[in-house]
Amino acid sequence: MAQARRPFFCGNWKLNGSIAESVALATDVRNGVATVRDADVAVAPSFTALHAVAKRLEDGPVSVAAQDCFWEEKGAFTGEVSPGQLADAGCKSVILGHSERRQLLGELDAAVNLKARAALKAGLTPIICVGETLAERDAGETLGRILAQLDAALADMSEAELGRIVIAYEPVWAIGTGRNATPAQAQEVHRFIRTRVASRSAAVAAKVRILYGGSVKPDNIRALMAEEDVDGGLVGGASLSADSFVRIVKEGASV
Ligand code: 13P
């Protein structure tokens, strides 16, 4: 990654953990990264554990992310959680447009955009996920798919708003499969994303952090981070163990 950007590692815990388990894992992560000065670290527990984890991590170096939000602030929207409620619970960021939501729950590009803009209004950092399926990659459609997801997600954002987002490239075929993208495959897409952001603002493109996600492990993060446009990791399975997540942060931050 380039010196101009500060590495960012976020553990996406997905649908895992009781409140007590989440607080314990967060505590171990906080203790494990206590000596890390040169990276931002976040964990993303389930909704039910957000407040308790945020309380435990208060005033420490590890921040809390949610895994989704709605785009309205309040009203008759049964089952939804607003960005303001997430901020109230202690969240600083929110993962949006994860491929599991796109694939299993029918999340649309337009919804990702509405959610991201609502999150920005509430003072949260949207971590916007994009990524192609294996069929799309095999058909040579990777960059076209990324372009469509990215343009839709970033539509109608001001330059100031663009400057506050984080983007995560997560190839669907690499998620939970143990088969990470090669550093060169990640770099190709990360560069493409940065170039696309540069068409809106060169200043933002130089600063925006683009995380890689998909089977990130302690033994592959260094090679990924060695690529110029890889600025951190969005880590699923390996973030459920404090030991492996802390190793990823330490390895990745020291590249
Ligand atoms: P894995 O690290 O388990 O492949 O998951 C990646 C991911 O989906 C992070 O959001």
Side-chain angles (χ1 to χ4, degrees):
M1 71 172 292
Q3 291 294 328
R5 298 182 291 273
R6 187 173 159 82
F8 181 30
F9 301 93
C10 179
N12 175 8
W13 295 352
K14 305 189 181 184
L15 202 176
N16 290 289
S18 65
I19 295 173
E21 286 165 347
S22 301
V23 169
L25 178 55
T27 306
D28 289 344
V29 169
R30 181 193 64 188
N31 295 342
V33 302
T35 57
V36 176
R37 296 273 167 271
D38 36 14
D40 293 330
V41 181
V43 294
S46 292
F47 282 124
T48 48
L50 286 173
H51 185 55
V53 168
K55 276 268 164 228
R56 173 60 61 93
L57 298 179
E58 214 164 22
D59 300 325
V62 179
S63 69
V64 178
Q67 299 175 20
D68 186 32
C69 71
F70 193 51
W71 55 81
E72 296 287 351
E73 213 23 72
K74 61 178 178 179
F77 304 106
T78 302
E80 296 298 331
V81 177
S82 75
Q85 289 176 318
L86 295 179
D88 183 43
C91 294
K92 298 286 186 247
S93 52
V94 54
I95 298 168
L96 294 172
H98 193 282
S99 65
E100 286 150 14
R101 299 199 56 79
R102 292 179 189 264
Q103 297 213 304
L104 301 173
L105 295 150
E107 180 127 322
L108 300 173
D109 286 337
V112 178
N113 175 255
L114 288 172
K115 291 177 176 189
R117 288 161 56 210
L120 285 162
K121 277 206 183 65
L124 298 175
T125 299
I127 302 171
I128 298 169
C129 303
V130 296
E132 83 286 3
T133 63
L134 188 57
E136 288 163 345
R137 176 161 282 268
D138 288 345
E141 292 167 0
T142 297
L143 298 183
R145 188 74 199 104
I146 301 299
L147 186 68
Q149 291 176 345
L150 194 62
D151 282 358
L154 308 189
D156 299 321
M157 281 185 196
S158 68
E159 185 171 350
E161 287 175 324
L162 275 180
R164 291 173 44 213
I165 66 168
V166 170
I167 299 168
Y169 169 52
E170 297 208 314
V172 176
W173 47 271
I175 296 176
T177 59
R179 176 184 166 197
N180 63 293
T182 65
Q185 285 172 324
Q187 170 60 20
E188 181 194 18
V189 177
H190 283 228
R191 170 47 61 105
F192 179 77
I193 291 170
R194 197 176 304 287
T195 303
R196 190 65 184 169
V197 175
S199 70
R200 301 268 293 272
S201 163
V204 168
K207 265 185 23 197
V208 69
R209 290 183 292 188
I210 306 173
L211 316 183
Y212 168 78
S215 298
V216 170
K217 301 279 183 300
D219 63 4
N220 61 27
I221 188 65
R222 284 187 77 85
L224 289 158
M225 291 296 289
E227 297 293 338
E228 186 180 344
D229 291 293
V230 178
D231 305 316
L234 185 53
V235 186
S239 73
L240 293 173
S241 144
D243 179 57
S244 67
F245 184 58
V246 167
R247 277 164 55 214
I248 287 168
V249 172
K250 289 184 171 169
E251 289 283 335
S254 65
V255 173

